[in-house]
Amino acid sequence: MKAAELAISPFAATGKFSLFLIGEIGRIAIFFFHGLFTIFTYPFRISNLMDQIYFIGLKSIFVIALTGAFTGMVLGLQGYYTLVKFGSEGMLGPAVGLTLIRELGPVLAAIMITARAGSAMAAELGIMRISEQIDALATMNINPIKYLFSPRLAASLISFPLLTSIFDVVGIFGGFLTGSILLGINSGIYFSHMEAAIVMDDITGGYVKSIVFGALVATICCFQGYYTHTRKEGFGAKGVGKATTSAVVFSSVLILISDYIITSFLL
Amino acid sequence: MSQNLIELQDIVKSFEDNSVLNGINLSIKKGETTSIIGKSGGGKSVLLKHIIGLLQHDSGNILFEGRPLSKMKKAERGELKDRFSYMFQGSALFDSMTVFENIALPLKEKRSKMKKSRIREKVRDQLEQLDLGSIGKQYPSQLSGGMKKRVALARALVTDPEIVLFDEPTTGLDPIRKNAVHSMISDYQKKYGFTAVVVSHEIPDIFYISHRIAMLYEGRIIFQGTPEEIYAADNRDVQAFIRGMESRHDELTGLPPRSQGQRRYQEEVARLRQEDAFCVVMLAIESPDQTDREIKYWADQNAMQNFAARMKKHLRVTDICSRYGLNKIMLMLPNTNFEQAHNICEKLAEDMRCSNDGENPFASNSPCFTVTAGISEANAERSLEQVIMDAENSRDTFYEFQMR
């Protein structure tokens, strides 16, 4: 009996984990669609949306610009020393531009916003949950998902592409700073080659990514906070801490995984 | 007379392996205050959350005005929810909003749209009524526990609900505030006529304001009835619980509780010889309707406390007193006839006036309180209820005083 149990246990564990995973994905999907649809239902809380755009979007600009600048600068530096070996340092512009617009812009911006706003969403909703504020909304006949999640989702869908654009532009000028001003590539060559190499599809692709990341980050972070109380391994303040951690970790990992999947479809 | 507004039938709920409610049957009557008492962690709050739909039961039925909730359409349930209000144990105030915004939120989000100016007016009224006028712009984290409770109460009452559910409204408050919250609930309940369901373990304080009591024990309601009936109930668990919870002395006044007064009355009556009589005096502290409600509740309870403390000094060894209601004290004077009892009351009032002059703790512009006294003679044939009714009908003002 014991031996049989022992033999089965890895399978049982795998099965249990798979069921949990499928269940969790299902719950997240329901949460996401509930939030998405209620964006368009009455009443529209414009001021809540504005608050969230201010918090997720406007307040992130500085961090995004800073990381964008240094990403662009290091790309310019690395790119120059690699390209100069082949005598094609003129291609630095397209290299920096394409890397930023197609890959690094959306991904790094999303990870930065996760760290800044995503963690805050998870912690805020988590605390609202454990202090019964979410229940209080429900008793007032206010749909808590619509009241709390929908504005955050909508604000993310609006802010992520815009922040990504800022990241891209600042990054391109960062590359220009190192490549052209410090290392002496002709600025005309830097920009004209970039202009010639980048097509509209690259830019749309970048936006598609950033919109998907926006939905992903908002959904996972809000989900983790909103359902803090259902976690088995931690309640109260500890639960909120764990929810915040897993919100950031899951969001970041899923950003990279979904980036690969979207890229493979777009190419 | 009053119909069943909410009826719970065989409600069962368990969390994983832990069964909390094992078949709850409870009826809540319209316009009454029903209190649910029971051990901590016994599922009282869980029960309350089922009534408002925060938790879903595993099996059983909840009927609202005779109609099962499960058969109602979503829109109907939404409309129903608008008639409810819930006051959470931990207040559950939105900590990122000011007190004003907290109270305004349920009005702002109500389906029937209200004008902004009307909302502002209503919230301001509510703040004023609960003595919160000056803190509208503060955040909940800046408030004391008692203030938070009052804000939560304001938020629960601002929508003029028909049914208000209170989850331990007085936990963690000092005796004066506790009694103030109780009298507030009772006052508002009388004023607006809403149906109140209170989860509490404040025994016997909660009996003063309840029309009906239900006791939850091991996941079932083992008793339902009036406060008088619960003392007479012959269920051992009920008796053990209320005797265990009831302290020997009332927290606020230091007087013995009502049940003890009733017991002592029985003893005195038994000891009584044919020709003797003894008197029962009912004292009630009343604050005349004040336009300035600001400090009413708090001051009421404070007055009660001070009065009881002073009164105790003037009692004879054989005299028995107990707190009989929110603002009532029963005084039993053995071997005393009506005349003598009257004299004792006069003397009491006189002494209090003197002691007031001596200490002079009362400012001239503070609200005025009236103490009324009613005297009735007791004898072996009459039950305590009759005697008290008599005494209350003959009440007369004998003492007036002012308080800061």
Side-chain angles (χ1 to χ4, degrees), chain A residues 184-205:
Chain A
I185 299 173
N186 184 296
S187 59
I189 290 174
Y190 181 84
F191 282 114
S192 66
H193 279 191
M194 188 187 293
E195 198 187 334
I198 296 171
V199 291
M200 198 55 206
D201 278 355
D202 298 323
I203 296 170
T204 356

Side-chain angles (χ1 to χ4, degrees), chain A residues 26-49:
Chain A
R27 278 189 286 275
I28 292 178
I30 291 170
F31 186 72
F32 168 70
F33 284 113
H34 190 160
L36 187 67
F37 290 136
T38 47
I39 292 175
F40 307 104
T41 56
Y42 186 80
F44 309 106
R45 300 183 175 96
I46 303 297
S47 65
N48 278 11
L49 178 63

Side-chain angles (χ1 to χ4, degrees), chain B residues 85 103-104 106-107 119 122-123 126 153-161:
Chain B
S85 232
I103 300 173
L107 290 178
I119 291 178
K122 232 177 147 185
V123 174
Q126 196 71 36
L153 190 65
R155 191 176 69 180
L157 296 177
V158 76
T159 50
D160 301 326

Side-chain angles (χ1 to χ4, degrees), chain B residues 261-308:
Chain B
Q262 282 166 329
R263 241 184 341 264
R264 294 293 294 274
Y265 179 80
Q266 307 299 345
E267 288 169 13
E268 285 300 321
V269 166
R271 205 179 295 154
L272 214 58
R273 270 169 298 161
Q274 202 66 49
E275 64 276 16
D276 296 353
F278 77 96
C279 277
V280 171
V281 181
M282 289 301 291
L283 296 165
I285 301 185
E286 276 154 17
S287 50
D289 260 348
Q290 286 160 27
T291 43
D292 179 22
R293 291 177 63 91
E294 278 221 340
I295 50 169
K296 180 179 184 306
Y297 295 107
W298 190 81
D300 272 359
Q301 302 307 322
N302 220 353
M304 179 82 176
Q305 192 178 35
N306 285 352
F307 179 76

Side-chain angles (χ1 to χ4, degrees), chain A residues 107-159:
Chain A
V107 171
L108 286 183
I111 289 178
M112 287 317 295
I113 306 169
T114 305
R116 212 200 71 80
S119 56
M121 282 188 231
E124 196 180 336
L125 263 57
I127 288 174
M128 288 188 80
R129 169 61 78 186
I130 61 165
S131 60
E132 294 186 308
Q133 294 177 46
I134 292 180
D135 287 339
L137 283 174
T139 64
M140 291 173 194
N141 214 0
I142 300 169
N143 179 346
I145 293 185
K146 174 171 172 53
Y147 190 81
L148 296 170
F149 174 46
S150 294
R152 285 173 171 80
L153 180 62
S156 297
L157 293 175
I158 293 168
S159 305

Side-chain angles (χ1 to χ4, degrees), chain B residues 181-197:
Chain B
V181 168
H182 280 152
S183 66
M184 231 183 281
I185 292 174
S186 152
D187 258 20
Y188 278 99
Q189 200 271 331
K190 277 184 208 127
K191 195 166 156 198
Y192 300 113
F194 56 73
T195 307
V197 183

Side-chain angles (χ1 to χ4, degrees), chain B residues 16 27 82-83 100 111 126 136 182 184 201 220 226 229 259 262 271 288 313 326 344 346 351 386 390-392 395-396:
Chain B
E16 285 167 16
S27 43
D82 272 339
R83 297 161 64 182
F100 190 94
R111 299 199 172 184
Q126 196 71 36
H182 280 152
M184 231 183 281
H201 48 231
R220 287 173 208 281
T226 62
E229 282 166 4
S259 58
Q262 282 166 329
R271 205 179 295 154
K313 285 188 209 156
L326 217 46
I344 289 173
E346 295 257 303
D351 282 356
Q386 286 173 315
D390 262 12
E392 294 209 308
R395 261 189 333 204
D396 208 358

